[in-house]
């Protein structure tokens, strides 16, 4: 089963649709799910501090507190807001809490001791920067250094963008209601959410509202993989061309080429622009190095990756234009993206290409493509990726924590794999080579993109699990681990 992701306005639509179909107890369901998870996480410990805010997120917390109290946990609630202004469901939850003898505190007692905090201060209704008592409370909870279960989303985090409203609660677990929201998974989301759990509140969300966003998951991306027939030869496995490697940047093209080899392309050609380009890659002599004009004379290329170390010389401009004029599937990265951003005619060429085009920008490259700023791209990562995909009629991966893949049809995917060890030179070059290799092996461009993005992050995660990284993890190591995982997923799928 695929896992959908919805923006907060879509979650509100879902709530409305549920209400219209006669479901009126969503808050009770959310509170019960929260209490059950809290009980499991407490694992025998008994004392809980519940923070309830002025909206329905506070209502969820009040319901959870009521159940925990009924199960004999020691529960203290700090409520911040005006009880008279609570929305109806939350007001009912408050009455039910008071009816079983519960009390409300207006500040965290200085001498209290708890095993866990339940954060029900703000959910998807947080609409502006935190200030005053709210800001102070978030900081105080973070200073307590206790396990925190955040209800729906850590308070202070923007459910759509994954940015913080000045500060946010550092949760150890987040229980997201109805479905995932993109802000949990991208930008700062992974830093604040801890382990993410989803409770659908018994709603079949995709049946009520068609999702446009999905979580990338191994079962989904690996479905494109098939074992090779024993009777195979390199021609069947496709040929990749890499175009880049201007003076002082040959390494980028070699990294992309080596990654394409390791991901199984039958033949890989690296065409280097540098005047004094090497004739052979001594560390990887299987790579075929050639001059750029030779690459376009080959009649058996299945995919071309343009950009690693390309530079922005007149020759680079001419070669990129030539690549865009072919019907080959193209992967464009780095300076290919920067050149595309400043040449309107190349953007027109891209829009009308017969072959697929895949763009792999990080946020600064995306900003150039959209004539925007890195800050604005990070504020709207999903929207930015889909906008580029639709404007340029291409597939896009907007890289960074929680990479966003987008299609020209408006579908988008968030990648949960990867770690800060990937913030190092060459990682993007390796990703370009990986995508190109999978396309050359006849995966559809979209399947190749989704698999490569997921696998690239999973390979880096594998090293971190082994204690290599995040500090000092190299792109070459990621390509090696990607090869190992790919083989494992195809040939020992249970492992
Ligand atoms: N509806 C349902 O059926 C279900 C909803 N569910 C739950 O409800 C949550 C959404 O609830 P919600 O819409 O009430 O928003 P919520 O996040 O509690 O906060 C809104 C309050 O905060 C206030 N406020 C905002 N920003 C502020 C700031 N910076 N500083 C100070 N105040 C600020 C804002 O005040 P105002 O902007 O009006 O001044 C308002 O009072 C959702 O995440 C899920 O947990 C589940 O139970 C499932 C069923
Ligand atoms: K919360």
């Amino acid at each position: 089963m695929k896992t959908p992701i919805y923006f907060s306005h879509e979650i509100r639509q879902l709530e409305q649709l549920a209400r219209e179909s006669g479901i009126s107890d969503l808050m009770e369901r959310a509170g019960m799910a929260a209490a059950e998870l809290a009980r499991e996480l407490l694992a025998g410990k008994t004392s809980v501090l519940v923070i309830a805010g002025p909206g329905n997120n506070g209502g969820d917390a009040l319901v959870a507190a009521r159940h925990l109290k009924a199960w004999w946990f020691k529960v203290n609630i700090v409520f911040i807001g005006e009880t008279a202004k609570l929305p109806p469901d939350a007001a009912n939850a408050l009455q039910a809490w008071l009816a079983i003898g519960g009390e409300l505190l207006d500040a965290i007692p200085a001498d209290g001791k708890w095993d866990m905090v339940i954060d029900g201060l703000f959910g998807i209704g947080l609409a502006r920067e935190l200030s005053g008592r709210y800001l102070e409370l978030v900081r105080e909870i973070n200073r307590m250094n206790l396990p925190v279960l955040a209800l729906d989303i850590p308070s202070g985090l923007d459910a759509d963008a994954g940015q913080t409203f000045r500060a946010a609660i550092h949760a150890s677990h987040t229980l997201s209601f109805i479905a995932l929201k993109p802000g949990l998974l991208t930008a700062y989301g992974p830093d604040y959410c801890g382990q993410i759990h989803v409770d659908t509140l018994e709603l079949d969300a995709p049946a009520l509202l068609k999702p446009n966003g999905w979580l990338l998951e191994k079962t989904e991306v690996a479905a494109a993989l098939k074992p090779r027939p024993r009777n195979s030869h390199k021609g069947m496995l496709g040929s990749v061309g890499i175009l880049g490697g201007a003076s002082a940047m040959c390494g980028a093209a070699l990294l992309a080429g080596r990654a394409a080899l390791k991901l199984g392309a039958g033949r890989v050609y690296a065409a280097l622009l540098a005047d004094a380009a090497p004739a052979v890659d001594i560390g990887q002599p299987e790579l075929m190095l050639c001059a750029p004009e030779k690459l376009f004379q080959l009649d058996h290329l299945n995919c071309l990756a343009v950009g690693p170390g390309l530079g922005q010389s007149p020759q680079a401009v001419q070669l990129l234009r030539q690549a865009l004029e072919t019907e080959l599937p193209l992967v464009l990265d780095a300076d290919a993206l920067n050149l595309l951003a400043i040449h309107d005619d190349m953007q027109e060429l891209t829009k009308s290409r017969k072959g697929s085009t895949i763009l792999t920008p990080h946020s600064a490259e995306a900003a150039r493509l959209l004539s925007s700023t890195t800050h604005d791209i990070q504020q709207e990562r999903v929207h930015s990726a889909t906008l580029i995909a639709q404007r340029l009629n291409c597939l896009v991966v907007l890289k960074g924590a929680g990479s966003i893949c987008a299609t020209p049809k408006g579908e988008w995917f968030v990648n949960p794999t990867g770690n800060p060890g990937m913030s190092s030179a060459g990682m993007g070059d390796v990703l370009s080579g990986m995508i190109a290799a999978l396309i050359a092996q006849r995966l559809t461009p979209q399947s190749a993109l989704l698999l490569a993005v997921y696998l690239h992050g999973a390979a880096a995660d594998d090293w971190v699990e082994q204690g290599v990284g995040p500090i000092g993890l190299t792109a070459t190591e990621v390509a090696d681990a990607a090869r190992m995982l790919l083989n494992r997923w195809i040939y020992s799928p249970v492992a």
Side-chain angles (χ1 to χ4, degrees):
M1 265 267 283
K2 294 206 290 182
T3 306
I5 310 175
Y6 291 97
F7 285 111
S8 51
H9 73 270
E10 294 173 307
I11 294 285
R12 290 196 190 284
Q13 267 175 275
L14 283 164
E15 286 167 352
Q16 186 55 33
L17 289 165
R19 266 177 214 283
E20 285 166 13
S21 70
I23 297 169
S24 58
D25 62 345
L26 287 180
M27 184 174 286
E28 284 296 321
R29 295 181 190 187
M32 176 56 96
E36 284 175 342
L37 179 58
R39 180 170 58 180
E40 185 187 323
L41 297 173
L42 279 158
K45 294 187 177 158
T46 53
S47 179
V48 187
L49 174 65
V50 176
I51 310 292
N56 285 317
N57 198 245
D60 296 344
L62 286 159
V63 174
R66 193 180 81 228
H67 291 301
L68 289 168
K69 189 168 176 347
W71 299 335
W72 303 103
F73 285 88
K74 177 178 167 287
V75 182
N76 293 119
I77 295 192
V78 172
F79 172 79
I80 309 281
E82 292 177 59
T83 53
K85 290 192 180 167
L86 279 172
D89 285 351
N92 291 339
L94 174 61
Q95 286 315 315
W97 168 251
L98 297 175
I100 59 162
E103 293 175 5
L104 297 184
L105 304 171
D106 59 7
I108 299 176
D111 55 352
K113 290 236 180 316
W114 299 275
D115 300 310
M116 171 189 276
V117 178
I118 294 182
D119 159 29
L121 190 56
F122 295 111
I124 60 173
L126 184 65
R128 54 188 187 277
E129 298 233 308
L130 293 171
S131 60
R133 290 178 72 200
Y134 294 108
L135 180 62
E136 199 31 59
L137 191 62
V138 165
R139 290 182 172 154
E140 196 177 342
I141 293 163
N142 285 342
R143 279 196 299 269
M144 290 168 81
N145 253 332
L146 285 173
V148 177
L149 169 59
L151 304 189
D152 213 17
I153 185 154
S155 299
L157 194 67
D158 180 330
D160 292 338
Q163 297 293 327
T164 62
F165 285 106
R166 207 157 160 201
I169 287 188
H170 268 286
S172 31
H173 292 264
T174 295
L175 177 59
S176 185
F177 297 128
I178 298 180
L180 290 169
K181 295 98 193 169
L184 301 176
L185 304 160
T186 200
Y188 289 105
D191 281 321
Y192 284 91
C193 290
Q195 189 179 338
I196 296 174
H197 312 253
V198 178
D199 193 292
T200 61
L201 308 186
E202 297 167 51
L203 298 186
D204 182 357
L208 291 169
L209 183 67
K210 186 178 162 294
N212 291 313
W214 302 95
L215 183 68
L216 282 187
E217 291 168 284
K218 186 185 151 195
T219 44
E220 294 298 321
V221 296
L225 299 172
K226 304 265 180 305
R228 291 178 175 181
R230 291 179 77 92
N231 186 19
S232 66
H233 58 84
K234 67 185 174 199
M236 284 164 60
L237 303 168
S239 297
V240 165
I242 309 286
L243 187 54
S247 182
M249 296 185 286
C250 288
L254 298 183
L255 277 169
R258 290 176 178 198
L261 272 176
K262 287 176 180 165
L263 267 268
R267 300 184 187 98
V268 182
Y269 300 87
L272 306 177
L273 275 69
D275 288 337
V280 64
D281 177 357
I282 300 291
Q284 196 79 62
E286 301 88 341
L287 262 183
M288 291 176 272
L289 305 191
C290 64
E293 49 282 8
K294 286 272 185 295
L295 198 63
F296 288 102
Q297 290 164 10
L298 298 173
D299 61 1
H300 55 275
L301 282 188
N302 301 97
C303 185
L304 186 54
V306 188
L310 181 69
Q312 300 197 12
S313 64
Q315 187 195 11
V317 175
Q318 178 258 316
L319 289 167
L320 175 58
R321 192 170 283 123
Q322 202 173 343
L324 288 168
E325 282 166 352
T326 69
E327 291 187 6
L328 283 173
L330 287 186
V331 181
L332 304 186
D333 187 31
D335 270 329
L337 299 171
N338 296 329
L339 290 174
L340 192 60
I342 54 174
H343 288 90
D344 292 349
D345 64 312
M346 291 210 239
Q347 293 184 20
E348 292 307 316
L349 270 177
T350 305
K351 283 181 209 170
S352 56
R353 294 193 73 241
K354 283 210 181 115
S356 298
T357 317
I358 299 184
L359 309 188
T360 63
H362 53 55
S363 53
E365 288 156 351
R368 288 176 205 123
L369 286 166
L370 291 176
S371 306
S372 175
T373 62
T374 306
H375 174 265
D376 287 351
I377 297 292
Q378 288 298 85
Q379 290 293 326
E380 293 197 291
R381 285 175 55 79
V382 174
H383 177 65
S384 303
T386 43
L387 196 60
I388 296 171
Q390 288 176 332
R391 277 196 193 165
L392 294 176
N393 185 31
C394 56
L395 293 161
V396 172
V397 52
L398 174 57
K399 295 180 292 196
S403 290
I404 312 289
C405 299
T407 76
K409 289 186 189 148
E411 268 191 314
W412 49 273
F413 304 81
V414 186
N415 181 42
T417 63
N419 61 68
M422 305 178 82
S423 312
S424 76
M427 292 287 175
D429 305 318
V430 164
L431 178 64
S432 295
M434 289 172 61
I435 301 168
L438 294 173
I439 293 176
Q441 288 167 88
R442 316 294 193 267
L443 267 69
T444 65
Q446 182 168 326
S447 297
L449 173 67
L450 301 185
L451 173 57
V453 167
Y454 185 93
L455 179 62
H456 188 236
D461 290 345
D462 199 75
W463 278 118
V464 170
E465 266 169 43
Q466 295 177 49
V468 181
I471 295 168
L473 186 65
T474 65
T476 295
E477 288 164 331
V478 167
D480 290 343
R483 171 178 61 187
M484 185 197 61
L485 286 182
L486 188 67
N487 279 294
R488 199 188 289 164
W489 293 354
I490 297 177
Y491 294 102
S492 334
V494 188

